[in-house]
Amino acid sequence: MATTTKIRPRALVRASGGPRYAVALAVDALGTGLLRPFLLLYGVLVLRLSAPVTGIAMTAGIVAGLVCMPAVGRWLDRGARSTVVAASMLVRVLGVALLLVTPAGHAWPFATAALFLGIGNQAWPAAHAALVATVSHGRERDAALAAGRALRNAGLGVGALIATVSLAGGATALRALAAVTGLAYLAAAALAWSVRLHAHPAAAPEDDGPVPRMRTLLAANVVYVFCLNVPEIALPLILVTQLDASPVWPAAVFVTNTVLVVTLQVPVTVLMSRYSRRSVLALAGVILGASYAGFLAATSLGPGPGAPAVAAVSVVCTLGEIVYAGSATALVTRLAPAHALGRTLARFELSTGFGLAVSPAVITALAPHGPTALWGSLATATLLSASAVATAPADRNAP
């Protein structure tokens, strides 16, 4: 068993990159929350593009953003840390600037803007994890990664709330939100760059062996990451179209998910630090699989009692998401040798990005075939992934 880390706020901030970096994360998350949930609306209402064209452009941007990950990994392995984080924020400034100058009815500039935003969104998690892994170690690193996620979710939630209130202003309000987002990304990039953190690998990458393959972990991660789109895509779809519930229910589920992640991510990660990271990741799959089975049972109740039952089960799903998020990246940073930390994290983020990209299509394709097809398939796939994680070769012992 590993030693349990205590929650010490000052030490946690220091292990997360320091006060300036924490402010950079908060500003970046706030700006992201202002625009990212409403990018589709920006394309439709401001640029007057059709919904299918807007959706295709956004998806293409996300997928194209994944292509940059090998280069990001190699950059990190040359020792860059805060510079890569700042670059991931600056490239999104370019994306926002393109949005603001795109004329109505022009799809290609919007697609290019979505590409820059996608590159920044895909590069940031690996760069952030590498930076935290450089300034903290052991279970303190796990808690620092969890704190970063909680802070980011808080910023995203506040930004989305501000944007929601502002949407009454229509297209003008969306343009203003985009402009504020660009300024937030610029300020966050300046703060992150000012940290000036650079790692010094002990050996050149070519001298110290290949990047760990982690095939089982990466394949399982593609399935695990579906849980991140359950509150945003699967539950609204089921609640509104199949259970005839008010849109208030999906909103309540989303708010509850955000609040629970913000308040419980660090305490749960610290609590789980007494067990191996691989065991905790397997446990996350069991919790998620059980929640999917719970959604199947809840939807069988039909309109009326089905909505509150789904909302109750969503709490279990969020707990599984918290356990997953607190163990997956931590396990990868522990498995990665120092000379290949960047490339290992890049491969992991590729699997995460792929799962996030395909999950909306998979969920919306399964949902019309009934609750059993959707929730039964997700539960089976997730439990199989958890079993694969649990029986794969163990990670190195924690120090």
Side-chain angles (χ1 to χ4, degrees):
M1 287 189 180
T3 303
T4 303
T5 302
K6 294 181 180 179
I7 302 176
R8 297 186 294 269
R10 289 185 179 179
L12 201 55
V13 171
R14 198 162 50 246
S16 301
R20 272 182 300 172
Y21 186 68
V23 174
L25 292 186
V27 173
D28 177 75
L30 182 64
T32 302
L34 289 174
L35 180 63
R36 195 163 80 178
F38 308 103
L39 188 57
L40 180 67
L41 288 179
Y42 191 97
V44 173
L45 297 180
V46 178
L47 302 182
R48 298 176 186 175
L49 302 173
S50 68
V53 168
T54 306
I56 291 171
M58 291 174 60
T59 301
I62 294 172
V63 174
L66 293 174
V67 177
C68 77
M69 290 310 300
V72 171
R74 289 191 293 271
W75 191 7
L76 290 169
D77 283 339
R78 287 198 292 268
R81 291 294 183 267
S82 56
T83 305
V84 186
V85 175
S88 73
M89 297 169 177
L90 281 175
V91 75
R92 284 179 286 175
V93 175
L94 292 176
V96 173
L98 268 176
L99 282 181
L100 293 174
V101 301
T102 298
H106 289 68
W108 282 108
F110 176 79
T112 306
L115 169 62
F116 284 127
L117 292 170
I119 290 173
N121 290 332
Q122 296 298 331
W124 182 85
H128 166 70
L131 186 147
V132 173
T134 303
V135 298
S136 58
H137 306 280
R139 294 297 181 170
E140 187 181 57
R141 174 191 296 171
D142 298 15
L145 290 169
R149 182 170 191 262
L151 179 61
R152 185 162 180 80
N153 274 267
L156 289 170
V158 172
L161 180 61
I162 294 172
T164 302
V165 174
S166 304
L167 284 180
T172 302
L174 282 169
R175 283 190 178 277
L177 289 173
V180 173
T181 297
L183 292 174
Y185 286 157
L186 189 61
L191 285 168
W193 179 81
S194 71
V195 174
R196 298 193 179 185
L197 180 67
H198 191 278
H200 299 282
E206 61 269 22
D207 296 335
D208 226 356
V211 181
R213 292 187 179 275
M214 304 186 304
R215 289 175 178 171
T216 300
L217 179 58
L218 296 178
N221 186 56
V222 172
V223 177
Y224 271 77
V225 83
F226 273 55
C227 72
L228 301 180
N229 274 331
V230 165
E232 297 183 22
I233 295 173
L235 295 188
L237 184 65
I238 298 302
L239 285 166
V240 175
T241 65
Q242 296 185 9
L243 296 179
D244 297 322
S246 165
V248 172
W249 283 105
V253 167
F254 182 79
V255 170
T256 301
N257 173 272
T258 302
V259 171
L260 288 176
V261 170
V262 171
T263 57
L264 295 182
Q265 185 67 71
V266 174
V268 169
T269 301
V270 170
L271 179 65
M272 292 290 103
S273 66
R274 66 188 66 192
Y275 308 107
S276 77
R277 297 171 180 87
R278 191 177 294 275
S279 298
V280 175
L281 184 57
L283 174 63
V286 173
I287 296 173
L288 289 171
S291 73
Y292 298 153
F295 286 132
L296 176 59
T299 52
S300 69
L301 298 177
V310 166
V313 176
S314 72
V315 175
V316 180
C317 185
T318 299
L319 180 59
E321 174 191 334
I322 290 170
V323 177
Y324 156 69
S327 57
T329 304
L331 175 59
V332 171
T333 58
R334 188 67 181 110
L335 288 172
H339 74 277
L341 176 63
R343 285 171 293 161
T344 305
L345 285 169
R347 293 186 66 199
F348 177 71
E349 291 305 328
L350 271 172
S351 72
T352 299
F354 178 75
L356 289 174
V358 303
S359 56
V362 172
I363 290 170
T364 53
L366 290 174
H369 297 285
T372 302
L374 175 60
W375 300 117
S377 299
L378 288 180
T380 301
T382 306
L383 290 174
L384 287 174
S385 298
S387 175
V389 168
T391 55
D395 54 315
R396 295 177 293 180
N397 292 329

